[in-house]
Amino acid sequence: LIGTAGHGIDFNGSSTLDDYHEGTWSPTLHDASGNNSTFGSVTEANFTKIGNTVRITLRAVNMATSGMTAGDVVYLKGLPFTTQGYNYTWCFLRSPDSSGDWGPATNAVFAYCNTNQITFAASNGTGGTSLTWADILNNTTDLFMTVIYKTGQ
């Protein structure tokens, strides 16, 4: 392990760690019809990039559905770096079901990262189903996630 005078860390000539960034990012909500929405509050939206690997975190509450098309897929955009290919991970979507219960069936969803956005899917017992704006309760649904994806940047 050798320091390279401010140009990274050299691992005995085999490779150099010279690409490290951390900061915040600005998540935005969208539908397929071109509408956008907001969260009531974003209390955490951070990223760390090491080489071609990006780790983002998000803690956002009270997704607003006003102006969104109910049948359209939910898109989360504003990723700090463009994704390379498809990347998949779990995240936590907190929303009560139709009876008002905060059950586990409404919580764990799969996040698909592609290009500059994330879409979500949940298991319906026989396979995945895309999360649409009809599944979001206005100013009630929260999104918590840590996602790791690859980038070409």
Side-chain angles (χ1 to χ4, degrees):
L1 188 65
I2 304 167
T4 59
H7 300 287
I9 300 171
D10 186 349
F11 295 93
N12 295 323
S14 62
S15 62
T16 302
L17 174 60
D18 61 356
D19 187 8
Y20 179 89
H21 303 279
E22 58 183 25
T24 59
W25 61 290
S26 300
T28 56
L29 295 166
H30 298 265
D31 66 13
S33 300
N35 302 308
N36 59 18
S37 185
T38 61
F39 294 100
S41 174
V42 176
T43 58
E44 179 182 342
N46 299 310
F47 74 86
T48 301
K49 178 181 181 282
I50 302 172
N52 68 348
T53 303
V54 181
R55 177 185 176 270
I56 60 172
T57 58
L58 174 64
R59 184 181 188 283
V61 298
N62 300 331
M63 294 171 71
T65 62
S66 179
M68 306 308 281
T69 304
D72 282 359
V73 171
V74 175
Y75 292 99
L76 179 68
K77 297 185 179 187
L79 299 177
F81 299 93
T82 301
T83 66
Q84 183 178 25
Y86 280 99
N87 298 263
Y88 311 96
T89 192
W90 287 102
C91 61
F92 182 74
L93 184 77
R94 183 175 72 172
S95 184
D97 61 22
S98 59
S99 65
D101 294 330
W102 294 82
T106 60
N107 291 332
V109 295
F110 208 54
Y112 296 93
C113 305
N114 186 27
T115 311
N116 65 347
Q117 63 193 14
I118 297 175
T119 56
F120 304 93
S123 175
N124 61 8
T126 60
T129 180
S130 293
L131 183 71
T132 68
W133 282 98
D135 300 314
I136 305 299
L137 295 179
N138 190 43
N139 295 320
T140 302
T141 301
D142 305 332
L143 180 60
F144 307 103
M145 59 190 240
T146 297
V147 173
I148 298 172
Y149 66 90
K150 288 195 165 221
T151 183
Q153 296 177 296

